[in-house]
Amino acid sequence: MTFPSHRPRRLRSSAAMRRLVGETTLEPRHLVLPMFVADGLDQPRDITSMPGVVQHTRDSLRRAAAEAVDLGVGGLMLFGVPQESDKDGDGSIGVRPDGILNVALRDLAADLGDATVLMADTCLDEFTDHGHCGVLDRVGRVDNDATNRRYVELAVAQADSGAHVVSPSGMMDGQVAAIRDGLDAAGHTETAILAYAAKFASGFYGPFREAVASSLQGDRRTYQQDSGNIREAVREIELDLAEGADIVMVKPAMAYLDVVRAAAEISSVPVAAYQVSGEYSMISAAAERGWIDRQSVVTESLVSIRRAGADIVLTYWAAEAARWLS
């Protein structure tokens, strides 16, 4: 029998050889840790559908953030959870200096300075009593332009509070351009915009609704993208790039790796992907039952997102994975 002169298995013969020829790297700096901070808590509250993830108090947030930064995690993405009584139709608590997200941003900015990249979710869904990502018009539809005006106020408030990066996630048309103009006018020319450029109306967000105590009734299909549409996703990414996005993001990640790849092929700026709550919960549940090896599957999932073309991965495993990688 004649064998080919080159046998690929030669390059898999030892751990050292595999490390030498490895094509895709995964390092702590590639990872961003999403974190939830809730108003009115005196101790962290477990998120039952996301084992190991909590709604933080201000103090526990500070401790967990410092630990993640010490582990080398590349950045932190903050979500604020106000008290129910503070929610209203236009999410005003998100703009107020005493709102929980802005208070927490100031805490971490004071503690960490430029030792990490401090990101803020720039959206209204956590802050509105209807749970939608925007301001509603008189017939209950999300008003694109009124929402963009509110996003500008949110972004400026977050930058004032110390955010290095604001992250519009509501999928409003023109949101990046509006926020860039608003930040520049307010003197925040150095504040970057991470645009949720291709955010799909996904069933994988279920556990997140618990994490932010969402008040949503219905769905967000009139502004988030249809899961079958990749050309539309590419068009959205191109529009955000043209409007001045500093980073573009695909969300969710694992079920949309083809979109991550398409983004990487056209983007002149870094590409991020968000491994969302449902992805986290599925792997966690299977690992708890002993059906899969948790560490190996988590690592494989993160490598797959990097292999598809993501420069940055938002994942609830960021700190834990950084510990494994150290």
Side-chain angles (χ1 to χ4, degrees):
M1 183 180 294
T2 302
F3 291 95
S5 60
H6 177 70
R7 302 180 70 179
R9 284 184 55 194
R10 293 178 185 137
L11 299 184
R12 307 173 200 148
S13 59
S14 68
M17 180 67 80
R18 293 189 296 273
R19 183 174 65 248
L20 176 67
V21 301
E23 298 175 30
T24 302
T25 61
L26 179 65
E27 303 172 28
R29 68 181 182 89
H30 297 134
L31 307 177
V32 170
L33 178 63
M35 307 182 80
F36 305 100
V37 57
D39 197 9
L41 295 185
D42 55 13
Q43 60 183 7
R45 177 189 292 145
D46 291 339
I47 299 168
T48 58
S49 56
M50 300 176 68
V53 181
V54 302
Q55 291 179 344
H56 282 287
T57 67
R58 286 174 62 186
D59 286 342
S60 70
L61 177 76
R62 295 171 75 173
R63 291 191 296 271
E67 179 183 11
V69 173
D70 286 344
L71 288 167
V73 164
L76 309 171
M77 174 68 80
L78 261 60
F79 297 86
V81 184
Q83 297 193 61
E84 198 67 27
S85 59
D86 284 329
K87 296 182 179 182
D88 59 24
D90 60 0
S92 61
I93 191 64
V95 175
R96 284 167 35 188
D98 63 339
I100 183 60
L101 179 54
N102 295 324
V103 170
L105 285 167
R106 291 197 296 274
D107 286 343
L108 296 192
D111 288 352
L112 302 171
D114 291 334
T116 192
V117 178
L118 192 56
M119 305 177 176
D121 180 56
T122 309
C123 197
L124 292 175
D125 57 327
E126 301 101 307
F127 306 126
T128 56
D129 54 13
H130 48 72
H132 277 288
C133 296
V135 178
L136 303 184
D137 64 17
R138 63 184 60 187
V139 296
R141 297 172 302 194
V142 174
D143 185 319
N144 189 92
D145 295 346
T147 298
N148 279 343
R149 290 191 290 273
R150 201 60 170 162
Y151 284 177
V152 171
E153 295 175 341
L154 279 174
V156 170
Q158 292 166 354
D160 285 344
S161 299
H164 301 108
V165 179
V166 297
S167 310
S169 60
M171 293 296 293
M172 297 298 116
D173 295 339
Q175 62 184 14
V176 173
I179 288 171
R180 184 72 274 157
D181 287 347
L183 288 172
D184 290 352
H188 291 297
T189 57
E190 298 302 311
T191 304
I193 299 175
L194 185 162
Y196 286 62
K199 182 178 180 181
F200 291 85
S202 171
F204 285 100
Y205 301 146
F208 181 87
R209 305 280 163 80
E210 177 190 355
V212 297
S214 174
S215 303
L216 180 68
Q217 300 294 319
D219 60 52
R220 298 177 174 136
R221 294 184 181 277
T222 61
Y223 46 100
Q224 293 178 356
Q225 292 181 245
D226 187 279
S227 61
N229 293 357
I230 189 168
R231 287 195 298 268
E232 180 186 8
V234 169
R235 185 165 69 250
E236 291 278 13
I237 293 163
E238 290 173 338
L239 287 168
D240 282 356
L241 290 170
E243 290 177 23
D246 299 288
I247 305 169
V248 291
M249 184 154 71
V250 176
K251 180 181 181 181
M254 292 170 61
Y256 297 88
L257 294 180
D258 58 330
V259 184
V260 176
R261 168 50 58 190
E265 289 174 349
I266 66 169
S267 180
S268 57
V269 302
V271 173
Y274 198 143
Q275 187 181 52
V276 299
S277 59
E279 299 168 67
Y280 175 93
S281 296
M282 287 193 306
I283 293 174
S284 296
E288 284 181 352
R289 286 160 177 76
W291 294 341
I292 58 174
D293 179 77
R294 184 170 176 274
Q295 181 173 336
S296 65
V297 172
V298 169
T299 303
E300 183 178 346
S301 71
L302 296 173
V303 168
S304 76
I305 299 167
R306 288 273 297 134
R307 189 184 66 245
D311 303 287
I312 301 163
V313 182
L314 280 74
T315 175
Y316 300 99
W317 281 299
E320 190 172 8
R323 190 176 291 108
W324 299 335
L325 294 167
S326 62

